[in-house]
């Protein structure tokens, strides 16, 4: 793949396999509705990677929004941008007005091996609307990044004792993006359930 080629080139030229790999920080949000569903999306075929995979709403912070007048990113402006960026992604991708979203709670940060090691920050956000209201808003939106919205009961256990995906969830969750799998795992750790046994 291109990513593997860039890693090899970085190691050969700079003795650093990450020398030619972007390390933009991604954000991924576990959004729960007022009737306790987790909002997921199926990515469209025009996204840059993981086309057709199941994902959480997310993206990445926009650094230019965190710049002060001297074109420097301050610690405070970075934190504000990081936490605000996940809300903006939810508004853009799901069409939920910001006023219905709680302040994000950071669940964890990890490197995604399948995305050339890019870091992702996972957040938990509560939505004041129920799943049917969110469905209606999503259908009125114009996001091209997803083709479908999925509502997963927030208290479900995704795997049986043998480590197999539960049959009722196989179709929708067989292909989770790495960021979504991490965010769900962190969410269930906080809520007392695990994505993986």
């Amino acid at each position: 793949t291109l990513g593997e080629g860039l890693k090899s080139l970085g190691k050969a030229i700079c003795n650093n396999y990450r020398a030619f790999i972007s390390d933009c920080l991604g954000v991924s949000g576990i959004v729960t509705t007022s009737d306790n569903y987790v909002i997921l999306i199926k990515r469209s075929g025009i996204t840059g990677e993981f086309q057709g995979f199941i994902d959480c709403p997310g993206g990445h912070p926009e650094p230019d929004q965190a710049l002060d007048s001297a074109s420097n990113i301050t610690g405070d402006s970075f934190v504000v941008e990081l936490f605000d960026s996940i809300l903006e992604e939810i508004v853009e991708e799901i069409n939920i007005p910001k006023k219905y979203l709680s302040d994000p709670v950071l669940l964890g940060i990890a490197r995604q091996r399948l995305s050339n090691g890019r870091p992702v920050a996972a957040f938990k956000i509560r939505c004041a609307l129920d799943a049917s209201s969110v469905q209606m808003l999503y259908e009125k939106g114009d996001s091209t990044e997803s083709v479908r919205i999925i509502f997963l009961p927030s208290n479900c256990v995704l795997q049986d004792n043998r480590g197999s995906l539960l049959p009722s969830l196989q179709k929708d969750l067989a292909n989770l993006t790495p960021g979504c799998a991490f965010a769900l795992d962190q969410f269930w750790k906080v809520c007392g359930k695990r994505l993986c046994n």
Side-chain angles (χ1 to χ4, degrees), residues 2 5 9 20 30 33 45 54 62 75 78 92 110 112 115 122 134 139 147 150 156 169 175 178 180:
L2 177 61
L9 190 61
F20 301 118
I30 299 293
T33 62
I54 303 303
E62 302 294 337
F78 173 77
E92 290 173 17
Q112 303 176 79
S115 291
V134 171
E139 290 171 0
V147 295
I150 299 164
C156 82
L169 300 172
N175 294 312
C180 183

Side-chain angles (χ1 to χ4, degrees), residues 154-157 184-185 187-195:
S154 64
N155 63 349
C156 82
V157 176
L184 283 169
D185 190 50
F187 175 74
W188 272 295
K189 282 179 183 176
V190 168
C191 295
K193 304 254 185 223
R194 290 292 309 266
L195 175 60

